[in-house]
Amino acid sequence: MTHHPALTPGRVAVVTGAASGIGLAAAIRFARMGLKVCLADLDGPALHEAAAGVAALAAGGKTDVRAVPTDVAKLDDVQRLKQVAYEAFGEVGVLMNNAGVGGGGKPWQDYDRWRRLIEVNLWGVIHGVQAFTEAMLAQDTPCAIVNTGSKQGITTPPGDAAYNVSKAGVKVVTEQLAHELRNVPGCKITAHLLIPGYTFTGMTARGPEKPAEAWTADQVVDLMIDSMGRGDFYVLCPDNAVTREVDERRIQWAADDLIRNRPALSRWHPDYAEAFAAHMKGAAKP
Protein backbone atom coordinates (compact mmCIF):
# COMPACT_ATOMS: atom_id res chain seq x y z
CA MET A 1 0.00 0.00 0.00
CA THR A 2 1.33 3.44 -1.00
CA HIS A 3 1.08 5.89 1.88
CA HIS A 4 -0.04 9.48 1.59
CA PRO A 5 3.09 11.58 0.88
CA ALA A 6 2.60 13.50 4.12
CA LEU A 7 3.07 10.26 6.06
CA THR A 8 6.81 9.97 5.58
CA PRO A 9 9.60 9.78 8.17
CA GLY A 10 10.67 13.14 9.51
CA ARG A 11 7.33 14.88 8.82
CA VAL A 12 5.19 16.24 11.64
CA ALA A 13 1.71 15.21 12.79
CA VAL A 14 -0.52 17.24 15.11
CA VAL A 15 -3.34 15.26 16.71
CA THR A 16 -6.06 16.67 18.95
CA GLY A 17 -7.88 14.43 21.38
CA ALA A 18 -4.64 12.49 21.48
CA ALA A 19 -4.68 11.30 25.09
CA SER A 20 -6.93 8.33 24.36
CA GLY A 21 -9.00 6.46 21.80
CA ILE A 22 -8.60 7.06 18.09
CA GLY A 23 -6.39 10.10 18.65
CA LEU A 24 -3.87 8.15 20.71
CA ALA A 25 -3.94 5.23 18.27
CA ALA A 26 -3.20 7.68 15.44
CA ALA A 27 -0.36 9.34 17.36
CA ILE A 28 1.20 5.95 18.04
CA ARG A 29 0.89 4.93 14.40
CA PHE A 30 2.41 8.18 13.17
CA ALA A 31 5.36 7.78 15.56
CA ARG A 32 5.91 4.20 14.36
CA MET A 33 5.95 5.52 10.79
CA GLY A 34 8.78 7.87 11.74
CA LEU A 35 6.81 11.09 12.10
CA LYS A 36 7.31 13.65 14.83
CA VAL A 37 4.12 14.13 16.84
CA CYS A 38 2.37 16.88 18.79
CA LEU A 39 -0.28 15.40 21.07
CA ALA A 40 -2.97 17.87 22.09
CA ASP A 41 -5.61 17.26 24.74
CA LEU A 42 -6.85 18.72 27.99
CA ASP A 43 -4.07 19.08 30.53
CA GLY A 44 -3.70 16.18 32.92
CA PRO A 45 -1.95 12.88 33.57
CA ALA A 46 -3.58 11.15 30.60
CA LEU A 47 -2.00 13.54 28.10
CA HIS A 48 1.48 13.32 29.58
CA GLU A 49 1.32 9.52 29.95
CA ALA A 50 0.20 9.26 26.33
CA ALA A 51 3.06 11.47 25.18
CA ALA A 52 5.58 9.38 27.12
CA GLY A 53 4.26 6.24 25.46
CA VAL A 54 4.47 7.80 22.01
CA ALA A 55 7.98 9.12 22.71
CA ALA A 56 9.11 5.57 23.45
CA LEU A 57 8.22 4.68 19.85
CA ALA A 58 9.53 7.83 18.14
CA ALA A 59 12.87 7.78 16.36
CA GLY A 60 14.22 10.71 18.37
CA GLY A 61 12.46 9.84 21.60
CA LYS A 62 11.29 12.84 23.59
CA THR A 63 12.81 15.27 21.09
CA ASP A 64 10.30 14.09 18.47
CA VAL A 65 7.20 14.39 20.67
CA ARG A 66 5.40 17.30 22.28
CA ALA A 67 2.49 17.17 24.72
CA VAL A 68 0.53 20.39 24.32
CA PRO A 69 -2.32 21.03 26.78
CA THR A 70 -5.14 22.30 24.58
CA ASP A 71 -8.83 22.99 24.91
CA VAL A 72 -9.89 22.96 21.25
CA ALA A 73 -13.01 24.94 22.13
CA LYS A 74 -10.70 27.94 22.67
CA LEU A 75 -9.16 29.48 19.56
CA ASP A 76 -6.26 30.90 21.59
CA ASP A 77 -5.36 27.38 22.74
CA VAL A 78 -5.37 26.04 19.19
CA GLN A 79 -3.31 28.96 17.92
CA ARG A 80 -0.80 28.25 20.70
CA LEU A 81 -0.76 24.58 19.61
CA LYS A 82 0.16 25.70 16.11
CA GLN A 83 2.89 27.97 17.48
CA VAL A 84 4.39 25.15 19.56
CA ALA A 85 4.37 22.77 16.59
CA TYR A 86 6.06 25.20 14.23
CA GLU A 87 8.59 26.42 16.79
CA ALA A 88 9.52 22.85 17.67
CA PHE A 89 9.55 21.26 14.23
CA GLY A 90 9.28 23.98 11.58
CA GLU A 91 6.35 22.47 9.69
CA VAL A 92 3.20 20.38 9.96
CA GLY A 93 2.50 17.57 7.51
CA VAL A 94 -0.65 16.10 9.07
CA LEU A 95 -3.30 17.88 11.11
CA MET A 96 -5.84 15.52 12.68
CA ASN A 97 -8.73 17.41 14.24
CA ASN A 98 -10.03 14.53 16.32
CA ALA A 99 -11.00 15.88 19.75
CA GLY A 100 -14.60 15.20 20.64
CA VAL A 101 -17.05 14.66 23.48
CA GLY A 102 -20.42 12.95 23.70
CA GLY A 103 -23.54 13.27 25.78
CA GLY A 104 -25.50 16.15 24.30
CA GLY A 105 -29.25 16.23 24.49
CA LYS A 106 -32.66 16.64 22.88
CA PRO A 107 -33.44 19.75 20.83
CA TRP A 108 -35.11 21.59 23.73
CA GLN A 109 -33.09 20.27 26.67
CA ASP A 110 -29.61 20.42 28.23
CA TYR A 111 -28.53 23.84 26.94
CA ASP A 112 -25.15 23.83 28.69
CA ARG A 113 -24.30 20.37 27.35
CA TRP A 114 -25.34 21.47 23.86
CA ARG A 115 -23.03 24.47 24.01
CA ARG A 116 -20.00 22.56 25.31
CA LEU A 117 -20.47 19.74 22.80
CA ILE A 118 -20.77 22.11 19.83
CA GLU A 119 -17.78 24.13 21.05
CA VAL A 120 -15.57 21.03 21.22
CA ASN A 121 -16.82 18.85 18.39
CA LEU A 122 -17.53 21.49 15.75
CA TRP A 123 -15.71 24.65 16.79
CA GLY A 124 -12.68 22.56 17.72
CA VAL A 125 -12.44 21.43 14.08
CA ILE A 126 -13.08 24.94 12.77
CA HIS A 127 -10.39 26.32 15.07
CA GLY A 128 -7.91 23.74 13.81
CA VAL A 129 -8.66 24.54 10.17
CA GLN A 130 -8.49 28.28 10.81
CA ALA A 131 -5.25 28.13 12.79
CA PHE A 132 -3.22 25.76 10.61
CA THR A 133 -4.35 25.82 6.97
CA GLU A 134 -2.65 28.97 5.72
CA ALA A 135 0.67 28.01 7.29
CA MET A 136 0.42 24.52 5.76
CA LEU A 137 -0.36 26.05 2.36
CA ALA A 138 2.69 28.30 2.67
CA GLN A 139 4.94 25.26 3.16
CA ASP A 140 4.21 24.10 -0.41
CA THR A 141 4.69 20.49 0.67
CA PRO A 142 2.33 17.48 0.59
CA CYS A 143 0.05 17.72 3.62
CA ALA A 144 -3.20 16.27 4.91
CA ILE A 145 -5.97 17.54 7.16
CA VAL A 146 -8.11 14.79 8.71
CA ASN A 147 -11.30 15.69 10.57
CA THR A 148 -13.10 13.08 12.65
CA GLY A 149 -16.80 12.96 11.91
CA SER A 150 -19.41 10.32 12.66
CA LYS A 151 -22.10 8.29 10.94
CA GLN A 152 -24.46 10.09 13.33
CA GLY A 153 -23.67 13.26 11.41
CA ILE A 154 -24.94 11.61 8.22
CA THR A 155 -27.96 9.49 9.18
CA THR A 156 -28.70 11.58 12.33
CA PRO A 157 -30.48 8.93 14.44
CA PRO A 158 -32.77 10.14 17.23
CA GLY A 159 -31.51 10.26 20.78
CA ASP A 160 -28.66 12.80 20.81
CA ALA A 161 -29.52 15.77 18.64
CA ALA A 162 -26.57 17.83 19.88
CA TYR A 163 -23.96 15.24 18.92
CA ASN A 164 -25.60 14.71 15.52
CA VAL A 165 -25.62 18.44 14.80
CA SER A 166 -21.96 18.78 15.74
CA LYS A 167 -20.86 15.92 13.52
CA ALA A 168 -23.09 16.99 10.63
CA GLY A 169 -21.29 20.31 10.87
CA VAL A 170 -17.89 18.60 10.78
CA LYS A 171 -18.95 16.80 7.58
CA VAL A 172 -19.93 20.06 5.90
CA VAL A 173 -16.83 21.94 7.06
CA THR A 174 -14.58 19.16 5.75
CA GLU A 175 -16.36 18.93 2.40
CA GLN A 176 -16.05 22.69 1.98
CA LEU A 177 -12.39 22.55 2.99
CA ALA A 178 -11.66 19.83 0.42
CA HIS A 179 -13.35 21.85 -2.31
CA GLU A 180 -11.55 25.08 -1.48
CA LEU A 181 -8.16 23.38 -1.29
CA ARG A 182 -8.79 21.69 -4.62
CA ASN A 183 -9.25 25.12 -6.17
CA VAL A 184 -6.05 26.66 -4.80
CA PRO A 185 -3.51 26.64 -7.65
CA GLY A 186 -0.72 24.19 -6.93
CA CYS A 187 -2.20 23.17 -3.59
CA LYS A 188 -0.61 20.04 -2.11
CA ILE A 189 -2.97 19.64 0.85
CA THR A 190 -5.70 17.01 0.86
CA ALA A 191 -8.66 16.90 3.24
CA HIS A 192 -10.24 13.71 4.60
CA LEU A 193 -13.37 13.01 6.63
CA LEU A 194 -12.84 10.10 9.03
CA ILE A 195 -16.18 8.38 9.76
CA PRO A 196 -15.67 5.71 12.44
CA GLY A 197 -18.12 2.90 13.03
CA TYR A 198 -18.73 1.48 16.49
CA THR A 199 -15.30 1.84 18.07
CA PHE A 200 -14.26 0.85 21.58
CA THR A 201 -12.94 4.05 23.16
CA GLY A 202 -13.26 5.83 26.45
CA MET A 203 -16.23 7.77 25.09
CA THR A 204 -18.19 4.68 24.02
CA ALA A 205 -17.08 2.08 26.57
CA ARG A 206 -19.70 0.75 28.96
CA GLY A 207 -17.26 -1.55 30.72
CA PRO A 208 -13.64 -2.71 30.65
CA GLU A 209 -14.14 -5.36 27.95
CA LYS A 210 -14.45 -4.52 24.26
CA PRO A 211 -17.81 -5.67 22.89
CA ALA A 212 -17.55 -8.17 20.04
CA GLU A 213 -19.40 -5.77 17.74
CA ALA A 214 -16.88 -2.96 18.14
CA TRP A 215 -13.69 -2.24 16.24
CA THR A 216 -10.57 -1.16 18.07
CA ALA A 217 -9.13 2.32 17.59
CA ASP A 218 -6.16 0.67 15.87
CA GLN A 219 -8.45 -0.83 13.23
CA VAL A 220 -9.93 2.58 12.52
CA VAL A 221 -6.46 4.07 12.11
CA ASP A 222 -5.41 1.19 9.85
CA LEU A 223 -8.28 1.97 7.50
CA MET A 224 -7.61 5.70 7.73
CA ILE A 225 -3.97 5.25 6.67
CA ASP A 226 -4.93 2.97 3.78
CA SER A 227 -7.72 5.30 2.64
CA MET A 228 -5.46 8.36 2.72
CA GLY A 229 -2.99 6.45 0.56
CA ARG A 230 -5.73 5.82 -1.99
CA GLY A 231 -6.73 9.48 -1.95
CA ASP A 232 -10.17 8.81 -0.43
CA PHE A 233 -12.03 11.77 1.00
CA TYR A 234 -14.72 9.81 2.85
CA VAL A 235 -13.13 7.25 5.17
CA LEU A 236 -16.25 5.23 5.98
CA CYS A 237 -15.37 2.58 8.57
CA PRO A 238 -17.35 -0.61 9.13
CA ASP A 239 -17.21 -2.51 12.41
CA ASN A 240 -17.77 -6.10 13.49
CA ALA A 241 -21.56 -5.73 13.33
CA VAL A 242 -22.15 -3.39 10.38
CA THR A 243 -20.75 -3.90 6.89
CA ARG A 244 -20.09 -1.14 4.41
CA GLU A 245 -23.09 -2.30 2.39
CA VAL A 246 -25.35 -1.88 5.42
CA ASP A 247 -23.95 1.62 5.95
CA GLU A 248 -24.48 2.52 2.31
CA ARG A 249 -28.11 1.41 2.39
CA ARG A 250 -28.78 3.34 5.60
CA ILE A 251 -27.16 6.47 4.13
CA GLN A 252 -29.16 6.08 0.91
CA TRP A 253 -32.41 5.77 2.87
CA ALA A 254 -31.61 8.93 4.83
CA ALA A 255 -30.88 10.88 1.64
CA ASP A 256 -34.12 9.65 0.09
CA ASP A 257 -36.17 11.14 2.94
CA LEU A 258 -35.61 14.53 1.31
CA ILE A 259 -35.95 13.35 -2.28
CA ARG A 260 -39.17 11.42 -1.61
CA ASN A 261 -40.60 13.92 0.87
CA ARG A 262 -40.93 11.33 3.62
CA PRO A 263 -41.25 12.31 7.29
CA ALA A 264 -38.00 13.33 8.95
CA LEU A 265 -36.02 10.33 10.20
CA SER A 266 -38.50 7.96 8.53
CA ARG A 267 -36.18 5.04 9.25
CA TRP A 268 -37.45 5.22 12.83
CA HIS A 269 -41.09 6.04 11.89
CA PRO A 270 -43.48 3.11 12.50
CA ASP A 271 -45.31 3.76 9.22
CA TYR A 272 -42.08 3.09 7.30
CA ALA A 273 -40.78 0.09 9.24
CA GLU A 274 -41.81 -2.42 6.59
CA ALA A 275 -40.44 -0.34 3.72
CA PHE A 276 -37.12 0.18 5.50
CA ALA A 277 -36.80 -3.53 6.27
CA ALA A 278 -37.40 -4.29 2.59
CA HIS A 279 -34.80 -1.70 1.61
CA MET A 280 -32.23 -3.28 3.89
CA LYS A 281 -33.05 -6.88 3.01
CA GLY A 282 -30.34 -7.25 0.42
CA ALA A 283 -27.58 -5.82 2.60
CA ALA A 284 -24.80 -8.27 3.36
CA LYS A 285 -24.75 -9.63 6.88
CA PRO A 286 -21.50 -9.26 8.87
Side-chain angles (χ1 to χ4, degrees), residues 1-9 29 33 225-226 228-230:
M1 171 63 66
T2 300
H3 290 150
H4 189 287
L7 296 175
T8 55
R29 174 59 61 84
M33 296 175 74
I225 298 294
D226 290 347
M228 291 173 66
R230 291 192 297 267

Side-chain angles (χ1 to χ4, degrees), residues 84-207:
V84 169
Y86 275 89
E87 287 180 353
F89 302 124
E91 66 110 32
V92 172
V94 180
L95 170 64
M96 187 172 178
N97 293 307
N98 170 77
V101 295
K106 293 183 178 181
W108 60 85
Q109 295 177 348
D110 303 308
Y111 174 83
D112 290 338
R113 285 162 59 188
W114 263 88
R115 177 168 289 278
R116 177 59 181 168
L117 194 146
I118 297 292
E119 287 175 346
V120 173
N121 291 7
L122 179 54
W123 275 106
V125 170
I126 295 170
H127 289 159
V129 170
Q130 292 270 332
F132 281 84
T133 304
E134 287 189 342
M136 294 171 75
L137 281 167
Q139 292 171 194
D140 195 30
T141 56
C143 297
I145 299 174
V146 181
N147 296 334
T148 301
S150 170
K151 294 173 190 178
Q152 288 185 227
I154 301 171
T155 58
T156 61
D160 193 342
Y163 186 82
N164 294 350
V165 168
S166 73
K167 291 300 186 177
V170 170
K171 172 180 176 289
V172 174
V173 167
T174 313
E175 289 169 337
Q176 297 291 317
L177 174 65
H179 173 81
E180 295 296 339
L181 291 173
R182 193 165 60 238
N183 284 279
V184 174
C187 178
K188 298 177 183 177
I189 306 175
T190 60
H192 308 267
L193 179 66
L194 176 62
I195 312 167
Y198 179 23
T199 309
F200 184 63
T201 67
M203 193 168 75
T204 64
R206 295 178 177 86

Side-chain angles (χ1 to χ4, degrees), residues 3 7 23-35 37 54 57 217-219 221-226:
H3 290 150
L7 296 175
L24 178 55
I28 289 171
R29 174 59 61 84
F30 294 149
R32 285 176 169 161
M33 296 175 74
L35 279 75
V37 186
V54 172
L57 301 169
D218 287 335
Q219 287 176 291
V221 173
D222 285 345
L223 183 60
M224 180 186 78
I225 298 294
D226 290 347

